[in-house]
Amino acid sequence: MADLRTEFLGIKSPNPFWLASAPPTDKEYNVVRAFKAGWGGVVWKTLGEDPAVVNVNGPRYGAIWGADRRLLGFNNIELITDRPLDVNLREIKKVKREWPDRAVVVSLMVPCEERNWAAILSRVEETDADGVELNFGCPHGMSERGMGSAVGQVPEYIEMVARWCKAHTRMPVIVKLTPNITDIRHPARAAKDGGADAVSLINTINSIVSVDLDTMSPVPSIDGKGTHGGYCGPAVKPIALSMVSEIARDKATRGFPISAIGGVTTWRDAVEFMTLGATTVQVCTAAMTYGFAIVKELISGMSNWMDEKGYRSIDDFVGAAVPNVTDWQFLNLNYIAKAHINQDLCIKCGRCHIVCEDTSHQAITAKKNGNRHFEVIDAECVGCNLCVSVCPVANCITMVEMTSGTDPRTGRKIDRHYANWTTHPNNPNAVKAAE
């Protein structure tokens, strides 16, 4: 059986699935329900100094849905916890005492002064929490006050605050990075240079998801006015995957522990982040969409996949995909793949033909003997994968690697001029090879 036990910075948890710092981790009641459901750990919703912040008493979330009303992303304008610091600290201590096998990390955000960080760290240490996460990511509300992403966008500030925190606590220090920056490697390097023990990413993306055309205000609308907020959910996963991979393969941060955040909804999402270098994954939107019980599917899915692949522990595949992430200039331009349509699966909808005809390379026929029939024209196909992406039937269209010799799809001999980019007619520098 697969072993999902995780150790991150010495913090042990029964599985790598943690709840991210967010509304689901704002109080003891929620966290206990999460642990009963099976979550391996939580990052407690961000604590600040007293007096506590004041949140809006109206809509806090905007949403983007797919055509089937499936939630693709949230826009969140909620601030850090609005509960008194003493109450939060008391609950954290109680939860950690009653659930010693679960990870309890505390997210923090205070003004950018050493004394402020030193003061709150000493109080968090008394709870016996496993670590702290420095919230340098929130793009709304707190950033206007000189905190959150206002710090996370300046590597020098990240390094400075990380250094302060390491000087004032025995607990592991995780720096939570903002994606609202041009190159994620710079803040990650700064966190490491400041002595931080790990990074977590990504925090939410600055956004306005929609405009109410009746009130003419951004959504969510508060008394006719709206503001930018933080975007999260399945839609941000590709951005998060890329940023995690950049840190994992950067020479300056290679091997630096990563806790990944950003659109994790299924076990497959989690595995993808882990193959790109993350040891744990943090979840928020999926729990807010489906409830805490979703962790059962995450656990069983990852466990079954590991058994199928022969992995005994998560260490067997963490970082496995990192060596295969490269820069465009190092891709093999001699590699050729072409689309192939499985006629037994084809439903004759024609989407592949029309998108190729209108927006790509006119490489798919529409008719054969007067009937609707879609087939790839090898000489025109450049292997762009567009037809695969828009086809509504899974595995109906696949990409097949082409090499000199025999076409694995048809058994026909392949013209070697079309099987190598150096002689391909679409290559402006092609030189026709001698027969």
Side-chain angles (χ1 to χ4, degrees):
M1 294 290 293
D3 183 358
L4 269 62
R5 287 179 297 180
T6 306
E7 184 167 340
F8 181 74
L9 308 179
I11 305 170
K12 295 181 180 180
S13 57
N15 60 67
F17 302 110
W18 296 4
L19 284 170
S21 169
T25 62
D26 192 30
K27 59 176 74 74
E28 175 190 357
Y29 179 84
N30 301 69
V31 172
V32 169
R33 282 181 61 85
F35 284 163
K36 287 180 178 178
W39 291 88
V42 300
V43 182
W44 206 277
K45 183 172 170 64
T46 305
L47 310 185
E49 298 176 325
D50 284 328
V53 303
V54 178
N55 271 295
V56 296
N57 288 310
R60 300 180 183 183
Y61 309 112
I64 293 290
W65 297 278
D68 59 355
R69 187 68 179 181
R70 182 171 299 180
L71 185 72
L72 300 181
F74 270 139
N75 180 56
N76 164 34
I77 64 168
E78 184 169 297
L79 303 182
I80 65 175
T81 185
D82 52 14
R83 304 169 71 235
L85 180 59
D86 281 345
V87 173
N88 274 298
L89 294 174
R90 184 168 62 249
E91 291 182 1
I92 292 167
K93 186 176 183 68
K94 184 172 181 287
V95 169
K96 186 57 190 176
R97 183 172 62 246
E98 294 177 355
W99 296 85
D101 67 324
R102 307 303 171 93
V104 178
V105 174
V106 180
S107 177
L108 301 175
M109 183 192 294
V110 295
C112 207
E113 297 287 344
E114 184 171 5
R115 63 179 181 274
N116 300 81
W117 285 101
I120 199 167
L121 284 167
S122 66
R123 299 186 69 181
V124 173
E125 280 198 352
E126 295 173 359
T127 68
D128 295 322
D130 296 301
V132 292
E133 183 180 80
L134 314 185
N135 185 344
F136 295 155
C138 282
H140 59 279
M142 306 308 291
S143 58
E144 290 91 325
R145 311 177 196 194
M147 294 180 276
S149 64
V151 177
Q153 291 169 337
V154 184
E156 293 80 5
Y157 290 174
I158 294 174
E159 181 178 349
M160 177 179 67
V161 178
R163 200 176 301 280
W164 291 343
C165 291
K166 286 301 294 180
H168 290 286
T169 184
R170 57 171 174 75
M171 297 178 291
V173 173
I174 304 165
V175 171
K176 190 174 188 179
L177 302 179
T178 176
N180 302 295
I181 194 165
T182 304
D183 190 336
I184 196 66
R185 295 174 298 177
H186 295 304
R189 292 168 185 167
K192 186 177 181 183
D193 291 343
D197 300 288
V199 290
S200 59
L201 69 155
I202 59 174
N203 207 310
T204 54
I205 299 171
N206 202 16
S207 64
I208 291 177
V209 290
S210 62
V211 173
D212 186 321
L213 297 182
D214 293 320
T215 64
M216 291 297 173
S217 65
V219 174
S221 181
I222 306 296
D223 194 25
K225 300 289 184 181
T227 185
H228 63 97
Y231 192 48
C232 60
V236 311
K237 176 191 162 190
I239 299 168
L241 283 173
S242 176
M243 290 188 169
V244 166
S245 74
E246 287 297 293
I247 294 172
R249 71 190 188 99
D250 181 24
K251 289 181 180 180
T253 53
R254 191 172 297 161
F256 199 34
I258 298 171
S259 183
I261 314 165
V264 175
T265 307
T266 69
W267 67 266
R268 183 180 293 274
D269 297 330
V271 169
E272 289 176 9
F273 275 109
M274 295 171 78
T275 63
L276 289 175
T279 305
T280 65
V281 292
Q282 298 183 31
V283 180
C284 172
T285 306
M288 296 178 71
T289 306
Y290 303 108
F292 288 151
I294 193 176
V295 74
K296 297 183 186 340
E297 297 179 20
L298 299 176
I299 291 170
S300 63
M302 181 177 286
S303 180
N304 291 338
W305 174 79
M306 288 173 63
D307 287 341
E308 179 183 326
K309 295 293 185 180
Y311 296 127
R312 301 192 64 181
S313 75
I314 65 170
D315 290 336
D316 292 341
F317 62 88
V318 167
V322 175
N324 294 324
V325 182
T326 189
D327 295 330
W328 194 97
Q329 61 183 320
F330 300 119
L331 296 176
N332 179 13
L333 297 185
N334 288 320
Y335 177 86
I336 299 227
K338 295 184 183 294
H340 172 63
I341 302 173
N342 184 328
Q343 299 300 330
D344 293 332
L345 296 177
C346 181
I347 61 173
K348 315 299 182 188
C349 69
R351 287 179 66 180
C352 60
H353 163 71
I354 199 63
V355 298
C356 188
E357 194 73 14
D358 284 354
T359 69
S360 195
H361 294 85
Q362 299 77 53
I364 298 180
T365 61
K367 290 186 178 181
K368 184 176 182 180
N369 299 325
N371 299 316
R372 287 175 67 84
H373 179 88
F374 304 98
E375 192 168 332
V376 177
I377 306 169
D378 282 354
E380 302 298 333
C381 178
V382 300
C384 71
N385 204 49
L386 177 61
C387 55
V388 177
S389 301
V390 302
C391 179
V393 180
N395 300 317
C396 176
I397 308 179
T398 54
M399 300 303 298
V400 180
E401 180 181 359
M402 306 293 284
T403 58
S404 184
T406 302
D407 187 336
R409 305 165 301 174
T410 64
R412 296 179 303 204
K413 183 179 179 182
I414 299 173
D415 183 342
R416 67 190 181 95
H417 302 313
Y418 293 80
N420 190 300
W421 180 248
T422 59
T423 57
H424 197 281
N426 286 347
N427 181 354
N429 299 315
V431 178
K432 189 174 178 65
E435 289 292 337

